[in-house]
PDB file of all heavy atoms in Angstrom:
ATOM      1  N   ALA S 137     -90.985 -62.511 -34.437  1.00  0.00           N
ATOM      2  CA  ALA S 137     -92.197 -63.226 -34.833  1.00  0.00           C
ATOM      3  C   ALA S 137     -92.628 -64.200 -33.731  1.00  0.00           C
ATOM      4  O   ALA S 137     -93.821 -64.315 -33.419  1.00  0.00           O
ATOM      5  CB  ALA S 137     -91.971 -63.971 -36.146  1.00  0.00           C
ATOM      6  N   GLY S 138     -91.657 -64.865 -33.125  1.00  0.00           N
ATOM      7  CA  GLY S 138     -91.983 -65.786 -32.029  1.00  0.00           C
ATOM      8  C   GLY S 138     -92.549 -65.066 -30.824  1.00  0.00           C
ATOM      9  O   GLY S 138     -93.513 -65.533 -30.201  1.00  0.00           O
ATOM     10  N   VAL S 139     -91.967 -63.902 -30.483  1.00  0.00           N
ATOM     11  CA  VAL S 139     -92.492 -63.109 -29.370  1.00  0.00           C
ATOM     12  C   VAL S 139     -93.926 -62.682 -29.658  1.00  0.00           C
ATOM     13  O   VAL S 139     -94.804 -62.781 -28.788  1.00  0.00           O
ATOM     14  CB  VAL S 139     -91.608 -61.871 -29.106  1.00  0.00           C
ATOM     15  CG1 VAL S 139     -92.301 -60.899 -28.155  1.00  0.00           C
ATOM     16  CG2 VAL S 139     -90.261 -62.281 -28.528  1.00  0.00           C
ATOM     17  N   CYS S 140     -94.193 -62.216 -30.873  1.00  0.00           N
ATOM     18  CA  CYS S 140     -95.548 -61.757 -31.221  1.00  0.00           C
ATOM     19  C   CYS S 140     -96.557 -62.905 -31.158  1.00  0.00           C
ATOM     20  O   CYS S 140     -97.695 -62.704 -30.705  1.00  0.00           O
ATOM     21  CB  CYS S 140     -95.549 -61.118 -32.606  1.00  0.00           C
ATOM     22  SG  CYS S 140     -94.720 -59.522 -32.676  1.00  0.00           S
ATOM     23  N   ARG S 141     -96.174 -64.088 -31.592  1.00  0.00           N
ATOM     24  CA  ARG S 141     -97.098 -65.227 -31.520  1.00  0.00           C
ATOM     25  C   ARG S 141     -97.453 -65.535 -30.071  1.00  0.00           C
ATOM     26  O   ARG S 141     -98.621 -65.743 -29.731  1.00  0.00           O
ATOM     27  CB  ARG S 141     -96.477 -66.455 -32.189  1.00  0.00           C
ATOM     28  CG  ARG S 141     -96.390 -66.368 -33.700  1.00  0.00           C
ATOM     29  CD  ARG S 141     -96.170 -67.735 -34.330  1.00  0.00           C
ATOM     30  NE  ARG S 141     -94.965 -68.395 -33.841  1.00  0.00           N
ATOM     31  CZ  ARG S 141     -93.754 -68.222 -34.352  1.00  0.00           C
ATOM     32  NH1 ARG S 141     -93.568 -67.382 -35.367  1.00  0.00           N
ATOM     33  NH2 ARG S 141     -92.711 -68.867 -33.872  1.00  0.00           N
ATOM     34  N   GLU S 142     -96.442 -65.576 -29.220  1.00  0.00           N
ATOM     35  CA  GLU S 142     -96.699 -65.847 -27.794  1.00  0.00           C
ATOM     36  C   GLU S 142     -97.500 -64.721 -27.150  1.00  0.00           C
ATOM     37  O   GLU S 142     -98.381 -64.958 -26.311  1.00  0.00           O
ATOM     38  CB  GLU S 142     -95.373 -66.017 -27.055  1.00  0.00           C
ATOM     39  CG  GLU S 142     -94.638 -67.311 -27.335  1.00  0.00           C
ATOM     40  CD  GLU S 142     -93.478 -67.481 -26.375  1.00  0.00           C
ATOM     41  OE1 GLU S 142     -93.703 -67.923 -25.228  1.00  0.00           O
ATOM     42  OE2 GLU S 142     -92.341 -67.140 -26.763  1.00  0.00           O
ATOM     43  N   TRP S 143     -97.185 -63.501 -27.514  1.00  0.00           N
ATOM     44  CA  TRP S 143     -97.841 -62.308 -26.983  1.00  0.00           C
ATOM     45  C   TRP S 143     -99.334 -62.361 -27.261  1.00  0.00           C
ATOM     46  O   TRP S 143    -100.168 -62.166 -26.367  1.00  0.00           O
ATOM     47  CB  TRP S 143     -97.204 -61.116 -27.668  1.00  0.00           C
ATOM     48  CG  TRP S 143     -97.460 -59.740 -27.165  1.00  0.00           C
ATOM     49  CD1 TRP S 143     -98.157 -59.352 -26.055  1.00  0.00           C
ATOM     50  CD2 TRP S 143     -96.973 -58.534 -27.775  1.00  0.00           C
ATOM     51  NE1 TRP S 143     -98.138 -57.986 -25.949  1.00  0.00           N
ATOM     52  CE2 TRP S 143     -97.423 -57.468 -26.978  1.00  0.00           C
ATOM     53  CE3 TRP S 143     -96.198 -58.266 -28.905  1.00  0.00           C
ATOM     54  CZ2 TRP S 143     -97.130 -56.136 -27.293  1.00  0.00           C
ATOM     55  CZ3 TRP S 143     -95.903 -56.959 -29.210  1.00  0.00           C
ATOM     56  CH2 TRP S 143     -96.362 -55.899 -28.412  1.00  0.00           C
ATOM     57  N   GLU S 144     -99.688 -62.642 -28.513  1.00  0.00           N
ATOM     58  CA  GLU S 144    -101.101 -62.707 -28.877  1.00  0.00           C
ATOM     59  C   GLU S 144    -101.790 -63.916 -28.243  1.00  0.00           C
ATOM     60  O   GLU S 144    -102.953 -63.833 -27.815  1.00  0.00           O
ATOM     61  CB  GLU S 144    -101.241 -62.727 -30.398  1.00  0.00           C
ATOM     62  CG  GLU S 144    -100.793 -61.417 -31.049  1.00  0.00           C
ATOM     63  CD  GLU S 144    -100.962 -61.399 -32.555  1.00  0.00           C
ATOM     64  OE1 GLU S 144    -101.692 -62.274 -33.087  1.00  0.00           O
ATOM     65  OE2 GLU S 144    -100.389 -60.501 -33.211  1.00  0.00           O
ATOM     66  N   ALA S 145    -101.094 -65.028 -28.150  1.00  0.00           N
ATOM     67  CA  ALA S 145    -101.683 -66.231 -27.553  1.00  0.00           C
ATOM     68  C   ALA S 145    -101.955 -66.062 -26.067  1.00  0.00           C
ATOM     69  O   ALA S 145    -102.832 -66.722 -25.504  1.00  0.00           O
ATOM     70  CB  ALA S 145    -100.759 -67.423 -27.787  1.00  0.00           C
ATOM     71  N   ALA S 146    -101.212 -65.155 -25.412  1.00  0.00           N
ATOM     72  CA  ALA S 146    -101.369 -64.958 -23.969  1.00  0.00           C
ATOM     73  C   ALA S 146    -102.713 -64.352 -23.592  1.00  0.00           C
ATOM     74  O   ALA S 146    -103.087 -64.357 -22.411  1.00  0.00           O
ATOM     75  CB  ALA S 146    -100.235 -64.082 -23.433  1.00  0.00           C
ATOM     76  N   SER S 147    -103.466 -63.849 -24.573  1.00  0.00           N
ATOM     77  CA  SER S 147    -104.781 -63.274 -24.279  1.00  0.00           C
ATOM     78  C   SER S 147    -105.881 -64.330 -24.228  1.00  0.00           C
ATOM     79  O   SER S 147    -107.053 -64.000 -24.024  1.00  0.00           O
ATOM     80  CB  SER S 147    -105.146 -62.223 -25.329  1.00  0.00           C
ATOM     81  OG  SER S 147    -105.284 -62.819 -26.608  1.00  0.00           O
ATOM     82  N   ALA S 148    -105.523 -65.602 -24.377  1.00  0.00           N
ATOM     83  CA  ALA S 148    -106.518 -66.678 -24.427  1.00  0.00           C
ATOM     84  C   ALA S 148    -107.461 -66.714 -23.217  1.00  0.00           C
ATOM     85  O   ALA S 148    -108.663 -66.968 -23.385  1.00  0.00           O
ATOM     86  CB  ALA S 148    -105.816 -68.021 -24.594  1.00  0.00           C
ATOM     87  N   PRO S 149    -106.989 -66.475 -21.971  1.00  0.00           N
ATOM     88  CA  PRO S 149    -107.933 -66.505 -20.842  1.00  0.00           C
ATOM     89  C   PRO S 149    -109.075 -65.499 -20.993  1.00  0.00           C
ATOM     90  O   PRO S 149    -110.218 -65.794 -20.625  1.00  0.00           O
ATOM     91  CB  PRO S 149    -107.043 -66.160 -19.637  1.00  0.00           C
ATOM     92  CG  PRO S 149    -105.669 -66.585 -20.043  1.00  0.00           C
ATOM     93  CD  PRO S 149    -105.597 -66.304 -21.504  1.00  0.00           C
ATOM     94  N   ALA S 150    -108.795 -64.325 -21.539  1.00  0.00           N
ATOM     95  CA  ALA S 150    -109.842 -63.323 -21.740  1.00  0.00           C
ATOM     96  C   ALA S 150    -110.821 -63.776 -22.825  1.00  0.00           C
ATOM     97  O   ALA S 150    -112.041 -63.615 -22.683  1.00  0.00           O
ATOM     98  CB  ALA S 150    -109.223 -61.980 -22.125  1.00  0.00           C
ATOM     99  N   GLU S 151    -110.299 -64.352 -23.904  1.00  0.00           N
ATOM    100  CA  GLU S 151    -111.173 -64.846 -24.971  1.00  0.00           C
ATOM    101  C   GLU S 151    -112.095 -65.943 -24.463  1.00  0.00           C
ATOM    102  O   GLU S 151    -113.290 -65.966 -24.792  1.00  0.00           O
ATOM    103  CB  GLU S 151    -110.336 -65.347 -26.141  1.00  0.00           C
ATOM    104  CG  GLU S 151    -109.583 -64.257 -26.883  1.00  0.00           C
ATOM    105  CD  GLU S 151    -108.851 -64.799 -28.088  1.00  0.00           C
ATOM    106  OE1 GLU S 151    -109.500 -65.041 -29.114  1.00  0.00           O
ATOM    107  OE2 GLU S 151    -107.622 -65.014 -27.991  1.00  0.00           O
ATOM    108  N   ARG S 152    -111.545 -66.844 -23.665  1.00  0.00           N
ATOM    109  CA  ARG S 152    -112.373 -67.937 -23.127  1.00  0.00           C
ATOM    110  C   ARG S 152    -113.485 -67.408 -22.226  1.00  0.00           C
ATOM    111  O   ARG S 152    -114.556 -68.014 -22.126  1.00  0.00           O
ATOM    112  CB  ARG S 152    -111.494 -68.939 -22.365  1.00  0.00           C
ATOM    113  CG  ARG S 152    -110.597 -69.784 -23.262  1.00  0.00           C
ATOM    114  CD  ARG S 152    -110.027 -70.971 -22.524  1.00  0.00           C
ATOM    115  NE  ARG S 152    -109.116 -70.572 -21.467  1.00  0.00           N
ATOM    116  CZ  ARG S 152    -107.792 -70.473 -21.622  1.00  0.00           C
ATOM    117  NH1 ARG S 152    -107.249 -70.720 -22.817  1.00  0.00           N
ATOM    118  NH2 ARG S 152    -107.012 -70.130 -20.625  1.00  0.00           N
ATOM    119  N   LYS S 153    -113.243 -66.294 -21.588  1.00  0.00           N
ATOM    120  CA  LYS S 153    -114.252 -65.672 -20.729  1.00  0.00           C
ATOM    121  C   LYS S 153    -115.354 -65.012 -21.554  1.00  0.00           C
ATOM    122  O   LYS S 153    -116.419 -64.669 -21.028  1.00  0.00           O
ATOM    123  CB  LYS S 153    -113.567 -64.633 -19.832  1.00  0.00           C
ATOM    124  CG  LYS S 153    -114.495 -63.877 -18.887  1.00  0.00           C
ATOM    125  CD  LYS S 153    -115.047 -64.778 -17.788  1.00  0.00           C
ATOM    126  CE  LYS S 153    -115.843 -63.964 -16.769  1.00  0.00           C
ATOM    127  NZ  LYS S 153    -116.359 -64.786 -15.668  1.00  0.00           N
ATOM    128  N   GLY S 154    -115.133 -64.833 -22.844  1.00  0.00           N
ATOM    129  CA  GLY S 154    -116.118 -64.176 -23.691  1.00  0.00           C
ATOM    130  C   GLY S 154    -115.839 -62.704 -23.933  1.00  0.00           C
ATOM    131  O   GLY S 154    -116.672 -61.996 -24.511  1.00  0.00           O
ATOM    132  N   ILE S 155    -114.673 -62.227 -23.493  1.00  0.00           N
ATOM    133  CA  ILE S 155    -114.274 -60.849 -23.769  1.00  0.00           C
ATOM    134  C   ILE S 155    -113.827 -60.761 -25.231  1.00  0.00           C
ATOM    135  O   ILE S 155    -113.094 -61.623 -25.717  1.00  0.00           O
ATOM    136  CB  ILE S 155    -113.125 -60.425 -22.833  1.00  0.00           C
ATOM    137  CG1 ILE S 155    -113.576 -60.495 -21.369  1.00  0.00           C
ATOM    138  CG2 ILE S 155    -112.619 -59.027 -23.173  1.00  0.00           C
ATOM    139  CD1 ILE S 155    -112.438 -60.340 -20.369  1.00  0.00           C
ATOM    140  N   ARG S 156    -114.294 -59.755 -25.931  1.00  0.00           N
ATOM    141  CA  ARG S 156    -113.865 -59.549 -27.317  1.00  0.00           C
ATOM    142  C   ARG S 156    -112.440 -58.998 -27.303  1.00  0.00           C
ATOM    143  O   ARG S 156    -112.195 -57.919 -26.772  1.00  0.00           O
ATOM    144  CB  ARG S 156    -114.806 -58.576 -28.034  1.00  0.00           C
ATOM    145  CG  ARG S 156    -114.410 -58.275 -29.487  1.00  0.00           C
ATOM    146  CD  ARG S 156    -115.465 -57.439 -30.191  1.00  0.00           C
ATOM    147  NE  ARG S 156    -115.667 -56.146 -29.549  1.00  0.00           N
ATOM    148  CZ  ARG S 156    -114.971 -55.049 -29.830  1.00  0.00           C
ATOM    149  NH1 ARG S 156    -113.989 -55.096 -30.726  1.00  0.00           N
ATOM    150  NH2 ARG S 156    -115.229 -53.902 -29.211  1.00  0.00           N
ATOM    151  N   VAL S 157    -111.514 -59.734 -27.902  1.00  0.00           N
ATOM    152  CA  VAL S 157    -110.095 -59.364 -27.866  1.00  0.00           C
ATOM    153  C   VAL S 157    -109.639 -58.956 -29.261  1.00  0.00           C
ATOM    154  O   VAL S 157    -109.864 -59.677 -30.239  1.00  0.00           O
ATOM    155  CB  VAL S 157    -109.225 -60.519 -27.343  1.00  0.00           C
ATOM    156  CG1 VAL S 157    -107.739 -60.128 -27.383  1.00  0.00           C
ATOM    157  CG2 VAL S 157    -109.640 -60.907 -25.931  1.00  0.00           C
ATOM    158  N   VAL S 158    -108.999 -57.795 -29.339  1.00  0.00           N
ATOM    159  CA  VAL S 158    -108.400 -57.302 -30.581  1.00  0.00           C
ATOM    160  C   VAL S 158    -106.890 -57.199 -30.366  1.00  0.00           C
ATOM    161  O   VAL S 158    -106.447 -56.598 -29.381  1.00  0.00           O
ATOM    162  CB  VAL S 158    -108.960 -55.920 -30.976  1.00  0.00           C
ATOM    163  CG1 VAL S 158    -108.285 -55.413 -32.253  1.00  0.00           C
ATOM    164  CG2 VAL S 158    -110.471 -55.979 -31.165  1.00  0.00           C
ATOM    165  N   ALA S 159    -106.120 -57.789 -31.265  1.00  0.00           N
ATOM    166  CA  ALA S 159    -104.658 -57.675 -31.216  1.00  0.00           C
ATOM    167  C   ALA S 159    -104.225 -56.699 -32.301  1.00  0.00           C
ATOM    168  O   ALA S 159    -104.235 -57.040 -33.490  1.00  0.00           O
ATOM    169  CB  ALA S 159    -104.003 -59.036 -31.428  1.00  0.00           C
ATOM    170  N   LEU S 160    -103.872 -55.483 -31.904  1.00  0.00           N
ATOM    171  CA  LEU S 160    -103.451 -54.463 -32.862  1.00  0.00           C
ATOM    172  C   LEU S 160    -101.970 -54.650 -33.187  1.00  0.00           C
ATOM    173  O   LEU S 160    -101.111 -54.454 -32.333  1.00  0.00           O
ATOM    174  CB  LEU S 160    -103.669 -53.057 -32.297  1.00  0.00           C
ATOM    175  CG  LEU S 160    -105.086 -52.498 -32.290  1.00  0.00           C
ATOM    176  CD1 LEU S 160    -105.071 -51.067 -31.764  1.00  0.00           C
ATOM    177  CD2 LEU S 160    -105.725 -52.546 -33.666  1.00  0.00           C
ATOM    178  N   ARG S 161    -101.694 -55.011 -34.422  1.00  0.00           N
ATOM    179  CA  ARG S 161    -100.314 -55.210 -34.864  1.00  0.00           C
ATOM    180  C   ARG S 161     -99.770 -53.875 -35.370  1.00  0.00           C
ATOM    181  O   ARG S 161     -99.989 -53.493 -36.516  1.00  0.00           O
ATOM    182  CB  ARG S 161    -100.258 -56.290 -35.940  1.00  0.00           C
ATOM    183  CG  ARG S 161    -100.604 -57.671 -35.396  1.00  0.00           C
ATOM    184  CD  ARG S 161    -100.700 -58.733 -36.481  1.00  0.00           C
ATOM    185  NE  ARG S 161    -100.997 -60.034 -35.896  1.00  0.00           N
ATOM    186  CZ  ARG S 161    -101.414 -61.102 -36.595  1.00  0.00           C
ATOM    187  NH1 ARG S 161    -101.586 -61.000 -37.910  1.00  0.00           N
ATOM    188  NH2 ARG S 161    -101.672 -62.245 -35.983  1.00  0.00           N
ATOM    189  N   PHE S 162     -99.061 -53.175 -34.486  1.00  0.00           N
ATOM    190  CA  PHE S 162     -98.545 -51.839 -34.807  1.00  0.00           C
ATOM    191  C   PHE S 162     -97.386 -51.939 -35.796  1.00  0.00           C
ATOM    192  O   PHE S 162     -96.502 -52.787 -35.672  1.00  0.00           O
ATOM    193  CB  PHE S 162     -98.019 -51.131 -33.556  1.00  0.00           C
ATOM    194  CG  PHE S 162     -99.073 -50.727 -32.568  1.00  0.00           C
ATOM    195  CD1 PHE S 162     -98.716 -50.275 -31.308  1.00  0.00           C
ATOM    196  CD2 PHE S 162    -100.417 -50.781 -32.878  1.00  0.00           C
ATOM    197  CE1 PHE S 162     -99.670 -49.882 -30.380  1.00  0.00           C
ATOM    198  CE2 PHE S 162    -101.382 -50.388 -31.975  1.00  0.00           C
ATOM    199  CZ  PHE S 162    -101.005 -49.943 -30.714  1.00  0.00           C
ATOM    200  N   GLY S 163     -97.381 -51.003 -36.746  1.00  0.00           N
ATOM    201  CA  GLY S 163     -96.197 -50.786 -37.553  1.00  0.00           C
ATOM    202  C   GLY S 163     -95.305 -49.768 -36.871  1.00  0.00           C
ATOM    203  O   GLY S 163     -95.452 -49.480 -35.668  1.00  0.00           O
TER     204      GLY S 163
END
Side-chain angles (χ1 to χ4, degrees):
V139 168
C140 289
R141 289 197 302 273
E142 287 190 81
W143 192 5
E144 293 182 15
S147 64
E151 292 184 78
R152 289 195 294 266
K153 179 69 174 182
I155 299 169
R156 179 173 61 88
V157 177
V158 178
L160 283 183
R161 292 174 178 165
F162 291 170

